[in-house]
Structures are given as structure tokens and as C-alpha cells.
Amino acid sequence: MAKAAIMGFGTVGSGVYDIIRMNSEKLKASAGEEIELKYILDIRDFDDHPEKHLFTKDVNDIINDSEVTVVAEVMGGLHPAYEFTKELLNAGKSVVTSNKELVATYGSELLAIAAEKNVNYMFEASVGGGIPIIRPLNRCLAANNIKRIAGILNGTTNYILYQMITNNKSFDTALADAQANGYAERNPAADIEGHDACRKIAILSSLASGKEIDYNSISTEGIVNVALEDVRYAAAMDSVIKLIGYAEFLDNGKVYAHVAPMIINNSSMLSGIDDVFNGILVTGDAVGDVMFYGAGAGKLPTASAVVADILDSVIHRERRSKIGWIKTDEDVCASADDKSFRYFVRTESSAEDAEKVFGGITKLDSLVENETAFVTEELSASVMAEKKAELGGVISAIRLFA
Ligand code: HSE
């Protein structure tokens, strides 16, 4: 029998509990042994809970219990999740997590400790909620050099954009709905300003390259400046606007990455990822394009991935499962100018001025009075910034996904 603990009894933690209770026979069959939940750590009181005897407020109960071999860290946030995880790994216990902030920030160190202690540190739920992406990227696509990862990685922003586009809901109402459904972060700025997607693309690109990609080096823009007019122009281009976590693995060995709203043509598989769903398009040099799609947030979908990691940790108790990356001194991140994009631009300036400054542009029929809209040729980030400043009056500039 394997003994497990849950740290954090919020949305995901209670989902982990529910799945362990709901699917106990299935889990036993998959693990080859029963998985007994011995502790639930939370600072709050759960006196009315039918299994209130499982609750503790002292992490040392778990750390010092040699029977516990696997712990689900679903507390979120950096502290004390980092300290607890470190202590648990050092105590020889496997830890599985949905905590993308922790994995993106301290993943290299925690993975190194897990390797040293011959235990598992698993994080399938940290990206894409219930969508299998970490293991497939690490295992099933292992024969490939990954060329590109482009993902709709944040359910809250995808939900907001979808509600704005299809139901004419205001930004605030759509955000409130996402919060009520348990999709949003405690501080929704992490969603709408793109930081959550940034952590996730940092994890995926670190995994694909085998080297830590520091999330601080990823240029990050959220959806707060996306206007309904932009959405209408996108529709006129047979496209939609989505918040994309983008990583390209360049021939010079560096990784170019950004998080930004992008215009996605309706011919792309990413264009149909609606509502709270996530979609991740991975391109490998052998396999070509592979799409991962499903529920990227929410209680049971995220808990589904956490419980799968618990199972895998039980199965790999003796021989740890190798998954992760290392921190190197190499400069792995490409500069913003190592990759060019075409841009959709809205400006108060005239089409003539736009043509003078940008050269070859594709003009769009104006949908808003006294505005010019056009699409540029491929430009690097710094050339785009220069031309934007030179033209003046630019209202929006959004990259096209190709
Ligand atoms: N706030 C996140 C989202 C939760 O909306 O996708 C899942 O990581």
C-alpha cells in the first residue's frame, strides 16, 4: 500500500481528494497497490468534513512520517510551497504539483534535488490543466527535435476573449464568470497580463530544450489592450485573436519565446480552441504538427493530471522517472530580434503615411472612422518599434501567427 498526502485543500486539492475517493479501485489497478490518503495539509479548519481526521496544519506531520512516499503540492504560490517541497524531497518523498509558478521559478533546483534523492518531482498539471502535455513532450515526442510550441495556455483569458467575441460580454463580466468557475488565479492579473501563460511556456520550452528557460527573459504581454475593434478586424481577416505562448527553437540552438495576443487565421488548428479550453500545437522535425486539446483549468481536470502523477510516482518509486531539465550557464534565450513577424496595425495616421514608413503594406478596409488598418511585411521587434514611433498614432499592433 502506498501512502500519500495532499498539501492545500483549495479547488485543485479538493479535486485530488474527490478523484482518489471516486476512482480508488481504478487507481489501485493502475498502481498495482492501494493508494491510501494519510494527510491533508491546510491552514484552515475543516471540522465539518467527513474525513476531518485526515487534516493537519503542521507540514512536519507529513515530512516526518516515513510511511508517506508521495505528496501532492497543490497549494499554489511560491512560499511556503517551495520550502515544503524542498524539505519533502530532501526527506526522500516524491512530490507532484500543479504549481506552475513554483516549477517555472525553482524547477531546476527542485528537479536536481529529486534526482539526487532518487525520488520524483512531477508537474503534469502545471501546464494545460488536464491535458497530457508534459509526458507526451518528454516521452512520446522524444525522437524529435522540437521546432516550435505555440499554445493557448491560459483558460481564463481564452474564456474572456471568447465571451467578448461571441456573447458580446464585457471584459469585467467575463472575468467575473471565469473567477466564479474557479479558472482564474487568486490574483487574476496573473491571467490577464500574461504571467500565467509565461510560466507555462517557460516550462514547456525548458522541457523541450532540456535547459532552463528563465521566464523573466520571456517578453510578456496580456490581453488588457485587446479591443473589440481589433477582434472585428481579425474577423474581417478570417481570423481570431488568441493569447499565445510561443516558443521557437532556432537553428542557432537558442530559444525565441514570447507571450502575446496573436492573430490566428481560421485555417490554423489553434483558431478553434474556444471557451476555457487550452490547445497546444507542437511541431517536431519528424512528427510534424501535433495538437493537444482539452480542459486547461478547473477542479477535476487539473486534479486528473495531479492524480496521474501520484500514480506514476508510486509506480516509479524504486526507479525514478526522468523528466525535466537542467540549469546551465549558457545564454539559451534568443533576442527579440532573432524572429520576425507580420503585424496587424491600427493607426490614426493616413494610409499614405503608413505606406511611406512601412513600405510594402497590405491595406485593410477601415472598420472605424478616421482610422487606417493594415498588415506589415515581416519585421523584427526593434524595427517594428522604430516604425511605430515614426508613424505615430498607433492604436494596436498585433503579431500574425504563421
Ligand atoms: N488561471 C489558470 C488558467 C488556471 O486560467 O488557465 C490553470 O493554470
Side-chain angles (χ1 to χ4, degrees):
M1 182 187 292
K3 306 221 178 189
I6 300 173
M7 297 199 301
F9 202 63
T11 306
V12 181
S14 58
V16 171
Y17 170 88
D18 288 352
I19 292 176
I20 289 177
R21 288 292 172 257
M22 185 170 85
N23 292 347
S24 61
E25 285 308 313
K26 165 68 179 62
L27 299 180
K28 184 176 171 184
S30 298
E33 58 187 305
E34 198 178 319
I35 296 177
E36 188 196 313
L37 184 58
K38 193 161 179 188
Y39 300 100
I40 300 173
L41 177 78
D42 202 291
I43 48 170
R44 295 165 296 175
D45 291 316
F46 288 90
D47 292 339
D48 295 334
H49 194 278
E51 294 193 80
K52 63 180 182 198
H53 62 279
L54 294 177
F55 285 84
T56 175
K57 293 184 181 177
D58 185 357
V59 71
N60 290 308
D61 287 345
I62 304 172
I63 294 168
N64 296 328
D65 188 332
S66 59
E67 284 190 339
V68 174
T69 54
V70 56
V71 181
E73 182 277 295
V74 283
M75 315 165 64
L78 285 182
H79 304 287
Y82 164 67
E83 289 77 11
F84 289 0
T85 301
K86 214 166 143 173
E87 284 195 62
L88 288 161
L89 293 172
N90 274 318
K93 298 177 196 310
S94 291
V95 179
V96 305
T97 187
S98 57
N99 189 337
K100 57 256 159 169
E101 201 184 349
L102 185 63
V103 177
T105 309
Y106 292 111
S108 307
E109 181 190 353
L110 297 171
L111 286 162
I113 298 172
E116 190 195 318
K117 296 288 172 185
N118 194 31
V119 291
N120 299 290
Y121 184 53
M122 294 182 168
F123 45 93
E124 184 62 62
S126 66
V127 181
I131 306 172
I133 180 64
I134 300 293
R135 239 177 235 85
L137 194 54
N138 191 65
R139 305 251 168 85
C140 314
L141 299 177
N144 290 259
N145 288 302
I146 301 299
K147 308 305 277 179
R148 183 170 78 172
I149 301 173
I152 294 168
L153 300 171
N154 183 268
T156 300
T157 46
N158 206 41
Y159 181 84
I160 292 172
L161 288 171
Y162 183 71
Q163 292 299 333
M164 285 169 76
I165 297 165
T166 54
N167 294 332
N168 216 20
K169 277 199 187 167
S170 74
F171 183 94
D172 290 339
T173 310
L175 173 60
D177 287 355
Q179 285 176 302
N181 285 318
Y183 307 145
E185 297 301 302
R186 264 179 288 184
N187 174 7
D191 296 299
I192 60 178
E193 291 173 6
H195 306 301
D196 177 72
C198 171
R199 297 327 185 250
K200 291 169 176 168
I201 195 67
I203 293 170
L204 293 182
S205 47
S206 298
L207 197 60
S209 68
K211 294 170 189 163
E212 179 187 289
I213 306 297
D214 182 353
Y215 71 85
N216 290 300
S217 60
I218 299 177
S219 150
T220 299
E221 203 185 308
I223 63 163
V224 282
N225 294 323
V226 175
L228 278 173
E229 289 79 3
D230 299 322
V231 168
R232 286 174 53 213
Y233 274 111
M237 287 189 274
D238 191 26
S239 300
V240 285
I241 298 180
K242 301 280 185 190
L243 182 68
I244 301 293
Y246 187 100
E248 201 167 314
F249 301 83
L250 306 178
D251 291 339
N252 63 9
K254 298 205 175 199
V255 183
Y256 166 86
H258 75 232
V259 172
M262 294 185 84
I263 295 190
I264 316 280
N265 189 268
N266 284 326
S267 60
S268 164
M269 285 189 268
L270 286 171
S271 69
I273 313 297
D274 290 332
D275 211 69
V276 71
F277 289 99
N278 282 194
I280 305 153
L281 183 62
V282 179
T283 310
D285 60 355
V287 73
D289 284 344
V290 202
M291 185 77 186
F292 298 88
Y293 169 81
K299 176 174 167 164
L300 289 182
T302 309
S304 149
V306 175
V307 177
D309 276 352
I310 294 178
L311 268 183
D312 213 18
S313 288
V314 169
I315 293 165
H316 289 96
R317 195 159 45 199
E318 304 304 332
R319 194 153 173 266
R320 67 183 290 272
S321 178
K322 284 188 191 142
I323 205 158
W325 57 84
I326 54 163
K327 192 179 174 79
T328 69
D329 293 334
E330 258 175 81
D331 185 10
V332 203
C333 298
S335 92
D337 280 341
D338 283 346
K339 172 76 194 155
S340 296
F341 291 94
R342 298 182 75 199
Y343 287 81
F344 157 73
V345 180
R346 276 170 63 211
T347 175
E348 287 162 351
S349 302
S350 68
E352 293 69 34
D353 286 347
E355 211 147 24
K356 245 184 261 165
V357 173
F358 280 87
I361 57 171
T362 307
K363 281 183 247 167
L364 302 173
D365 289 340
S366 180
L367 299 179
V368 185
E369 242 178 274
N370 301 321
E371 264 188 34
T372 303
F374 60 94
V375 175
T376 71
E377 296 296 308
E378 279 192 4
L379 301 171
S380 69
S382 57
V383 171
M384 180 61 196
E386 278 162 27
K387 290 187 184 291
K388 241 170 89 178
E390 191 184 335
L391 180 64
V394 171
I395 303 159
S396 315
I398 303 177
R399 294 172 185 87
L400 267 62
F401 179 82

